[in-house]
Structure formats: C-alpha cells, structure tokens
Amino acid sequence: MQTTAIVAKFEELFKNEPLISRAPGRVNIIGEHTDYNDGFVLPASVDKEMVFAIALNGTNSVNAFALDLNEQDSFNLDSIVPTEGWINYIKGVVAETAKKGLKPQGFDVVFAGDVPLGAGMSSSAALECGLATGLNKLFNGDLSKLDIVLASQMSEHNYAGVKCGIMDQFASTYGQTNKVIKLDCRTKEYEYHTLDITGHKLVLCNTNVTHSLASSEYNTRREQCEAGVEVIKKKYPEIINLRDVSVEMIKEFEGEMDQVIYNRCSYVVEENDRLVKACEFMDKGDLVNLGKMIYGSHEGLSKKYEVSCPELDFLVEQTLEDDNVLGARMMGGGFGGCTINLVKEDAVDAFIDRMTKAYKEGMGKDMLAYAVVIGPGARTEEAVEA
Ligand code: GLA
C-alpha cells in the first residue's frame, strides 16, 4: 500500500510531519470459530494493509481523516463514547489502549487501506492494530504486542459490538513474511510454521457479498457454544470450554442437548481436531490431506455451524470436480466474504477465469480473486522486520 498519498493529505490538512504505522489483514488456513472457544487457529498476515499517518497536535482532541471515504471526524479525549461509523474504531483503540496503560494525548491522523472491506480478511483488525501500534510509538508507550492485540480485540467488543476472538488481531500484529501462525488461543502460545505449498498457491475468491446477519449471528454462535458447555459441565465439571472436549466426549451428548447446540459444539470440537491434523500434513508437505481437512472445515461450517451462505457454498461446490483444487472453504466469520482455495500453481489463472464465469452465470454476481502473499505484521515505519 502506497504511503505517499496518505502523507501528502496529512501535510495538507495538518501542516505537520507524521509518523507512519501499518497493519495487515489476514487469511486463515483452517480453524474457524475456534478462537473464542479457546482452541487453535492457523492464520497468516497478508500483503494488504491499513496505513496511518499520525502526529501529536498539542490539544485534547483527535482529528481523523479517512482518505478512502474522504471524510473527517473528531472527538475529545475527555468524553470518549461509542457512536456509529468508522470514527468508532479510532475511539475504541484510544480508549482500550488507555486501559492498558497508554497515556493518550490529542493527535491528528489520516488513514487508508487496501484490505477489502467485508471480505473476511479482517480489515477492522488491521485498522485497530495499525492504529494501536502507531499510538504506542507516538505516546512513547511500552505496550507489548499482546497488549496491542488485547486492546484491539476489546475495541471490537466494546465499540464495534462484535464479541470476536483473538485470531484476527493476533495475526495482524504477530504476522511474519511467509509464515503461518499456529496459535493456542487459550495459552496464547504460538509457533511460526513455514507455509510450504510448493507448486501450489492459496487463492481467495471474494463473493462480494456481506450479509447483514454477520455480527448478530456471530454473537449468537458464541452464546450457543457457551450453552453447550453448561450441559457438558454437568457430567464433566472439570471442563472450562469446548477446548477441553474431545471428539469422543462430545458424541455422548447427542440427544442430550438441543440439536442445534449439539451441532455447533460438535463442529468446534471437530474443527480443533482437523486443525491439529492439517498442521501436521502441512509440515510434511502432504497437501492432498491438508486439502481434505480444508474441505472438511467447510462442510462443518456450512452444515453444522451454519455460518456459510449460498454464494460461499456455490464457490466451494464449483471446486469439487476440479483436480487442480486440493481444498476450498469459506474463511473468517462467514455470511459472505471469501473462500480460500488450495490450487495447483500452473492452473491458477485458468481456475480464476473459470470460477469468475461460473459465479456470474450461477449467482449473477461478480467475483474477485487474489493469490495470497504472506507479508509482515503491524509495524511503524522505522521498524525493520527481524
Ligand atoms: C471473525 C472473528 C475472529 C474469528 C473468526 C472466525 O474473523 O473476528 O475472532 O472468530 O471470525 O474464525
């Protein structure tokens, strides 16, 4: 993402020299809706990011300009209350990083980005983590990366109203070039794995739809998982959440709890299991079996967790008969956004072409495709990646 236009706008509006911070969106190989159940995820930061030009302004106000929208908004540090619109994200990050110990001062900011909105690539986490990283530098703070992640996540909970897990903010902050992160969402322990998919590419197919259900259904899924845990706890009081439940254990509860709740819980338990296996297959270079895990994830997300939609299901179905595709599934929260596809490298162009036509014919909509490039996580301009 070019910074030139952002800096030029900053200088024009605020007549000052800014520092630059940036943070990327993410993909997730497998492990969906597992993070808020204390399970595992396997995300990576991508080369699409949000970029910020920021400087102190010597006042008690924050003046923000969203370059992509050509809109300006302001608020006073003395009364930060959640409102509507994009300014809410800025407010949330200021308020939540302050809770972690950052001492806010008035500042000016111009930001823009190329993370597609509503595509399930976490443009909001990129916004939160990029700003939090920039403010930590601007205010001479000593927030750790994990503080930045947790403050950004709380900003999503308390200001955007989505009770998200930790995956997106973690990937945006901790991402490294060419690495996927295996994160244990309970302990926050993480390992970088090299994504060795030699001869293949990860391709995102964007449905270009975002169904309005997304955030309310997301919070409902979280509650349904908690309701399932309450039932399981009656027999197994030692469990804390679905992370502690094995594939065998959950089967004991079929017919013992509401069927919908059972479906949600058994999906999460199986997805954790698939992720552990998928990671081993990835490390061994067994892409055929990695692909099978990815398809299994979609099946569960669509049928048991019910967070897919006709457009996502259509795009996955289109790959089933294609020998050049090893795995495909919806990615992120669901109800729109992208599918992630493991595709043979020399077939990528033909694949995108075929999928684009099929989507237009079958769903009457335009599809967008991106080959994934894994880039570095959040940083300020001076920071050089280790
Ligand atoms: C959204 C949330 C994440 C995660 C995914 C689903 O992206 O922000 O925390 O729960 O959905 O895996």
Side-chain angles (χ1 to χ4, degrees):
M1 172 84 203
Q2 292 287 333
T3 52
T4 328
I6 299 166
V7 172
K9 190 71 193 181
F10 187 93
E11 288 170 352
E12 177 201 320
L13 286 175
F14 302 117
K15 319 269 180 275
N16 203 347
E17 205 176 299
L19 78 83
I20 303 297
S21 65
R22 47 179 85 233
R26 61 105 191 88
V27 291
N28 187 26
I29 311 292
I30 194 165
E32 222 62 88
H33 288 274
T34 45
D35 58 354
Y36 52 85
N37 289 298
D38 266 3
F40 297 98
V41 289
L42 201 59
S45 47
V46 294
D47 64 339
K48 299 194 185 300
E49 49 187 18
M50 298 295 304
V51 181
F52 299 81
I54 328 174
L56 295 174
N57 62 18
T59 73
N60 212 23
S61 292
V62 174
N63 305 306
F65 189 83
L67 188 58
D68 296 325
L69 303 171
N70 214 25
E71 283 176 16
Q72 182 157 3
D73 209 341
S74 299
F75 62 93
N76 194 288
L77 290 174
D78 295 332
S79 59
I80 305 182
V81 279
T83 43
E84 293 292 307
W86 57 266
I87 194 72
N88 221 16
Y89 286 93
I90 313 281
K91 288 181 179 174
V93 170
V94 173
E96 296 296 336
T97 50
K99 286 189 199 161
K100 292 273 175 205
L102 216 54
K103 304 263 176 300
Q105 303 170 50
F107 65 91
D108 300 324
V109 58
V110 174
F111 67 96
D114 59 1
V115 190
L117 302 181
M121 292 175 70
S122 298
S123 52
S124 58
L127 212 160
E128 292 148 2
C129 299
L131 181 62
T133 301
L135 293 183
N136 194 30
K137 175 98 181 171
L138 189 70
F139 303 151
N140 283 320
D142 58 2
L143 297 190
S144 65
K145 280 189 180 185
L146 191 58
D147 289 333
I148 287 173
V149 169
L150 295 172
S152 298
Q153 183 194 12
M154 281 309 116
S155 143
E156 189 83 27
H157 281 214
N158 299 332
Y159 286 77
V162 178
K163 306 267 179 230
C164 67
I166 200 175
M167 168 169 73
D168 304 346
Q169 289 79 10
F170 200 96
S172 184
T173 303
Y174 282 80
Q176 282 190 2
T177 305
N178 288 331
K179 303 282 182 191
V180 295
I181 310 169
K182 183 183 178 198
L183 170 66
D184 179 335
C185 299
R186 169 172 282 172
T187 62
K188 318 287 183 281
E189 281 168 10
Y190 59 98
E191 294 165 0
Y192 291 105
H193 289 243
T194 302
L195 181 67
D196 184 5
I197 53 168
T198 311
H200 300 76
K201 288 251 181 228
L202 289 171
V203 180
L204 302 184
C205 293
N206 188 348
T207 58
N208 269 319
V209 296
T210 318
H211 294 290
S212 57
L213 291 170
S215 55
S216 63
E217 287 293 320
Y218 186 94
N219 292 343
T220 306
R221 290 299 173 283
R222 201 174 172 133
E223 287 160 17
Q224 289 168 330
C225 291
E226 283 162 12
V229 167
E230 286 314 308
V231 177
I232 302 167
K233 265 186 173 168
K234 289 192 186 127
K235 188 164 178 196
Y236 295 102
E238 67 278 15
I239 72 147
I240 299 167
N241 52 32
L242 292 175
R243 160 65 181 276
D244 306 305
V245 180
S246 68
V247 174
E248 291 69 41
M249 199 193 279
I250 191 67
K251 286 185 186 143
E252 294 174 31
F253 292 89
E254 180 147 33
E256 301 292 312
M257 60 170 83
D258 175 88
Q259 186 64 37
V260 170
I261 303 285
Y262 176 77
N263 289 346
R264 306 297 191 244
C265 294
S266 81
Y267 160 75
V268 171
V269 169
E270 287 165 5
E271 181 76 347
N272 269 324
D273 190 57
R274 269 191 293 268
L275 182 143
V276 172
K277 290 180 180 144
C279 208
E280 287 167 12
F281 291 135
M282 182 181 77
D283 289 345
K284 280 195 286 187
D286 181 351
L287 301 185
V288 170
N289 278 312
L290 171 62
K292 285 184 184 155
M293 296 297 114
I294 292 175
Y295 274 126
S297 172
H298 185 78
E299 178 80 9
L301 285 161
S302 179
K303 304 270 167 49
K304 289 187 166 181
Y305 216 63
E306 295 183 281
V307 289
S308 187
C309 62
E311 293 86 352
L312 288 165
D313 286 343
F314 179 87
L315 288 180
V316 172
E317 274 158 29
Q318 291 303 308
T319 69
L320 294 174
E321 304 287 303
D322 186 340
D323 291 342
N324 292 317
V325 183
L326 283 73
R329 66 177 195 87
M330 56 149 278
M331 189 181 77
F335 300 102
C338 291
T339 62
I340 184 166
N341 302 265
L342 180 58
V343 185
K344 288 191 186 148
E345 192 164 12
D346 52 12
V348 166
D349 291 344
F351 167 74
I352 293 176
D353 203 39
R354 183 177 69 73
M355 295 292 284
T356 309
K357 284 188 187 128
Y359 191 60
K360 186 78 186 175
E361 273 165 29
M363 302 305 285
K365 291 178 181 135
D366 293 322
M367 191 197 90
L368 281 174
Y370 333 96
V372 174
V373 176
I374 301 183
R379 63 219 183 271
T380 51
E381 190 80 308
E382 296 82 359
V384 178
E385 219 204 356

